[in-house]
Amino acid sequence: MPLTTSTVLICAGGACISSGEASVKEALKKEIRKYGLDEVVRVVETGCMGACSLGPIIVIYPDGVFYQKLTPRAAEKIVQEHLLKGRIVQEYLYKMPTGEVVPEAMDKLPFFAKQVKIATRNVGYIDPSNIEEYIARDGYFALNKVLTQMSPEQVIEEIKRSGLRGRGGAGFPTGLKWELTRKAKGDRKYIVCNADEGDPGAFMDRSILEGDPHTVLEAMVIAGYAIGAHQGYIYVRAEYPLAIERLQIAIAQAKEFGFLGENILGSEFGFDIEIRIGAGAFVCGEETALIASIEGKRGQPRVKPPYPAQSGVWGCPTVINNVETFACVPPIIIKGADWFRSIGTPTSPGTKVFALAGKITNTGLVEVPMGITIKELLYEIGGGSSTGKKIKAVQTGGPSGGCIPSEYFDTPVDYESLQKLGAIMGSGGMIVMDEDDCMVDVARFFLEFTVDESCGKCTPCREGTRQMLKILEKITSGEGSEKDLIELETLGNIIKDTSLCGLGQTAPNPVLSTLRYYRHEYEAHVREKRCPALRCKALVRYVIDPSKCVGCTACARVCPVNAISGELRKVHTIDNDVCVRCGSCIEVCRFGAISKVSP
Ligand SMILES: Cc1cc2nc3c(=O)[nH]c(=O)nc-3n(C[C@H](O)[C@H](O)[C@H](O)COP(=O)(O)O)c2cc1C
Ligand code: SF4
Ligand code: SF4
Ligand code: FES
């Protein structure tokens, strides 16, 4: 007979689902049934636990033992050993890059130990489809407190005192936004949750919606009470079907439990929430474009003012907040503004959720106190470079952000410090680059994205970004000149100053920040026609070292365009006029004879 009751949390976030969560869950359940443990072991599917590169993941409570990279066979073994006999299965515990097994409890792992979870406090811990699990972790307590003990003004005052700033990018004070909307004239007011999340590689908001949808609903009702609104909209992109499904379930449950609808919790106050599905245009995340899209119009930004606080959905005063901003509201109401201010920095209180991506060992989702240094974030939590090469820069703020070089990694992560470096906090995307990344090419990549996503309404953004992209393409193909660098800077600053909306106003950031910190790389491209990172194909040649080549013919056989010639056991050569720089030959040569050079 088993001695203890256990709960097995299995991550059902997007990354773990694609790495085989369903088959691990099936094997787990089958084995649990086989040994008659169904009565004492509960299997709960949760949202993303954050360590997405380690999936499929399970955590077994009460001890919080963290198992990673599981297969159905591993799941069977864990049931037989851990759940049946109480013996930890060492081979599936987390291992350091050195191979050392670290303490088995999840909260002791370096990836989790430095995190402070506020917005994602329930993500990865509860079944998001079960409202009772949310309630069991203080869910809807804040709403109850607000409706029974606080006036709308007191709610706004508490949020103002907390210093909470919008997590959608701009960092506008949330309490002030609510106050302005409350004071704005109008009988009808609205609450909108911005869940458009269009930055490439970002998935903070998706994880909250998939892993803890009720927290967003609760916060929206609280915001509605605070400003006098009775209707809310969640604008979520169609590419997030799981988030939409879990939101729909959550809304139905909240209605059933009396947290949505008329007379919420027996009060006079009523509030309803509808989901609006966006088609996935990046610009629709901009608040005025999003509002137009909710109204059924084309999702294009308009001039501000008037701001949504004065004239939002259907011309009515509207609070629009980001998913993560809303997710911070219930804990602030329960624990108080002073508690929230005790975390983070005086000007950026609280935490921020980041999606770590690129050349970093621990990719995934992390929530950290503001003020943590970039170095701590990348090395102590992120585990450093995943390639063995030195980390060269980190791009924050997605396509509107900037690149921060490693010399500045002691900088604290807060709104002002990042802005001073020419980057921005943005919504939380963090892409790590190593010495193999060419900063000119990185700038080109991000600009390509904004050119595609520009709505075309205003000329500086529509035409200017296109011109900048053409110049960057010229430079990366070895046809650039010194004049182009000046042109890029001049154009970039004009676009920033004259574009209508935030997309155009920030689109030049990746170019301007790389010009600021990596001018030498641009100069190498235009002066010497050289790509120091050996990335820009037009500036790179593939060569075979005759002293290393043994003439095995492997490279010639793998080359898709027959650019390599040579006889068996004779030194081979590459015709660079034919070579398409695919890199297949480098991968296949066991003698390290092939390398890339830039003149
Ligand atoms: C091009 C563009 C895209 C944006 N995308 C998003 C987004 O996906 N999610 C978001 O919350 N805010 C986005 N924003 C910011 C919103 O306009 C707005 O500032 C935000 O939703 C306000 O919420 P907050 O105060 O809680 O941050 C975007 C802004 C621009 C200019
Ligand atoms: S700045 Fe760009 S995205 Fe914004 S309105 Fe102008 S063209 Fe459209
Ligand atoms: S794979 Fe390497 S060793 Fe073999 S022929 Fe090509 S360059 Fe020479
Ligand atoms: S999806 Fe499982 S840890 Fe992120």
Side-chain angles (χ1 to χ4, degrees):
M1 275 290 287
L3 297 175
T4 54
T5 305
S6 301
T7 302
V8 182
L9 300 185
I10 178 160
C11 176
C16 284
I17 288 178
S18 29
S19 59
E21 180 265 344
S23 55
V24 171
K25 181 187 68 187
E26 276 321 301
L28 208 54
K29 285 189 160 173
K30 202 168 148 204
E31 205 69 1
I32 286 171
R33 267 197 309 275
K34 184 168 142 191
Y35 288 100
L37 298 175
D38 345 24
E39 298 281 302
V40 287
V41 177
R42 232 162 50 94
V43 178
V44 176
E45 278 187 300
T46 72
C48 169
M49 294 181 180
C52 305
S53 58
L54 305 178
I57 292 170
I58 63 170
V59 182
I60 303 186
Y61 284 95
D63 301 320
V65 177
F66 180 91
Y67 289 115
Q68 46 127 31
K69 295 189 180 169
L70 299 180
T71 57
R73 174 73 204 101
E76 286 166 11
K77 190 160 177 189
I78 289 168
V79 175
Q80 294 156 11
E81 290 293 311
H82 187 133
L83 293 175
L84 202 59
K85 300 175 191 154
R87 290 200 292 241
I88 286 170
V89 187
Q90 297 286 324
E91 63 189 288
Y92 301 112
L93 294 176
Y94 177 78
K95 290 172 201 67
M96 300 293 278
T98 52
E100 175 200 353
V101 176
V102 293
E104 57 268 10
M106 180 175 173
D107 55 3
K108 302 273 185 320
L109 300 181
F111 181 75
F112 296 102
K114 277 214 155 188
Q115 294 194 44
V116 174
K117 297 197 173 196
I118 297 177
T120 59
R121 66 200 177 279
N122 294 324
V123 180
Y125 294 95
I126 61 168
D127 173 358
S129 314
N130 185 344
I131 191 171
E132 288 177 9
E133 295 210 4
Y134 180 65
I135 294 170
R137 286 174 67 98
D138 292 347
Y140 292 108
F141 273 41
L143 178 61
N144 186 52
K145 181 173 173 184
V146 159
L147 293 180
T148 56
Q149 299 169 32
M150 294 172 85
S151 67
E153 290 78 7
Q154 283 172 324
V155 175
I156 291 175
E157 194 49 36
E158 197 66 13
I159 299 299
K160 272 175 77 178
R161 275 204 325 112
S162 76
L164 175 63
R165 298 174 65 170
R167 305 300 196 233
F172 190 82
T174 305
L176 180 60
K177 188 184 276 190
W178 291 16
E179 184 175 56
L180 292 170
T181 319
R182 175 160 186 85
K183 287 185 177 159
K185 287 202 176 65
D187 297 336
R188 269 189 306 140
K189 296 181 181 179
Y190 292 100
I191 300 292
V192 173
C193 173
N194 188 342
D196 194 51
E197 193 167 58
D199 293 18
F203 60 104
M204 299 76 56
D205 296 346
R206 173 165 63 82
S207 294
I208 294 173
L209 294 175
E210 287 179 2
D212 190 19
H214 284 286
T215 195
V216 175
L217 305 187
E218 181 177 9
M220 288 177 74
V221 185
I222 292 171
Y225 174 74
I227 69 149
H230 300 282
Q231 177 68 46
Y233 296 103
I234 302 176
Y235 188 90
V236 53
R237 52 178 47 227
E239 288 98 322
Y240 284 1
L242 191 59
I244 294 170
E245 186 192 316
R246 291 192 178 155
L247 273 172
Q248 284 166 336
I249 295 170
I251 289 173
Q253 288 176 342
K255 282 186 179 161
E256 197 186 314
F257 277 66
F259 299 126
L260 274 179
E262 300 292 320
N263 307 106
I264 293 174
L265 291 169
S267 72
E268 302 278 282
F269 180 67
F271 193 83
D272 240 316
I273 295 177
E274 283 177 32
I275 299 172
R276 286 284 189 271
I277 298 174
F282 179 59
V283 78
C284 282
E286 194 281 336
E287 53 194 16
T288 59
L290 187 149
I291 287 165
S293 180
I294 287 182
E295 293 170 351
K297 298 179 194 144
R298 185 171 173 180
Q300 270 191 333
R302 62 156 173 81
V303 178
K304 289 187 282 188
Y307 290 96
Q310 277 87 47
S311 177
V313 180
W314 290 294
C316 303
T318 299
V319 155
I320 173 161
N321 274 131
N322 164 261
V323 170
E324 189 186 330
T325 315
F326 276 128
C328 292
V329 167
I332 292 174
I333 297 291
I334 295 175
K335 297 183 181 176
D338 292 333
W339 160 78
F340 191 72
R341 291 204 77 95
S342 71
I343 301 158
T345 70
T347 54
S348 304
T351 54
K352 180 75 195 85
V353 184
F354 289 101
L356 291 181
K359 312 271 183 67
I360 183 130
T361 305
N362 302 326
T363 54
L365 208 69
V366 298
E367 182 169 2
V368 291
M370 298 266 200
I372 191 172
T373 64
I374 300 173
K375 194 182 271 168
E376 286 173 290
L377 186 45
L378 298 187
Y379 291 91
E380 293 178 29
I381 296 176
S385 165
S386 59
T387 59
K389 300 203 168 159
K390 191 173 166 274
I391 295 180
K392 175 171 167 179
V394 63
Q395 156 89 13
T396 66
S400 354
C403 289
I404 303 171
S406 55
E407 301 90 272
Y408 295 92
F409 281 1
D410 283 324
T411 306
V413 175
D414 62 57
Y415 291 97
E416 287 77 19
S417 306
L418 294 184
Q419 205 155 9
K420 264 190 224 147
L421 293 178
I424 55 165
M425 179 86 74
S427 57
M430 263 203 182
I431 301 172
V432 178
M433 295 155 208
D434 72 3
E435 287 162 334
D436 286 342
D437 290 300
C438 164
M439 303 316 278
V440 187
D441 191 52
V442 165
R444 190 197 53 75
F445 168 81
F446 283 113
L447 203 64
E448 204 168 46
F449 177 83
T450 36
V451 166
D452 281 349
E453 296 292 337
S454 166
C455 80
K457 185 169 176 173
C458 66
T459 317
C461 170
R462 185 187 64 239
E463 299 301 330
T465 53
R466 205 172 289 273
Q467 287 311 316
M468 283 182 83
L469 181 61
K470 272 191 189 160
I471 298 174
L472 284 170
E473 282 168 350
K474 229 172 105 184
I475 296 173
T476 51
S477 57
E479 285 151 26
S481 67
E482 300 255 3
K483 216 173 107 246
D484 288 325
L485 304 190
I486 299 163
E487 191 92 331
L488 274 179
E489 249 158 354
T490 314
L491 251 176
N493 285 317
I494 293 173
I495 295 166
K496 268 176 89 107
D497 292 344
T498 55
S499 289
L500 173 64
C501 87
L503 191 151
Q505 288 157 9
T506 57
N509 282 352
V511 184
L512 296 176
S513 71
T514 48
L515 267 168
R516 175 171 163 189
Y517 295 118
Y518 297 95
R519 201 173 189 95
H520 54 283
E521 288 198 22
Y522 280 86
E523 285 170 351
H525 283 69
V526 296
R527 285 185 193 157
E528 301 153 34
K529 310 294 173 206
R530 188 171 65 81
C531 174
L534 302 172
R535 187 94 192 168
C536 297
K537 286 184 176 177
L539 301 179
V540 164
R541 290 181 337 111
Y542 280 62
V543 291
I544 295 179
D545 181 347
S547 68
K548 291 186 181 163
C549 176
V550 298
C552 72
T553 76
C555 58
R557 280 182 278 127
V558 84
C559 177
V561 289
N562 295 326
I564 304 178
S565 53
E567 289 172 29
L568 185 64
R569 288 192 212 87
K570 297 255 170 70
V571 171
H572 281 46
T573 52
I574 300 177
D575 181 347
N576 272 280
D577 290 335
V578 180
C579 168
V580 289
R581 279 74 167 151
C582 72
S584 307
C585 55
I586 293 187
E587 275 172 34
V588 87
C589 178
R590 291 185 291 117
F591 304 92
I594 310 180
S595 57
K596 290 195 280 185
V597 292
S598 193

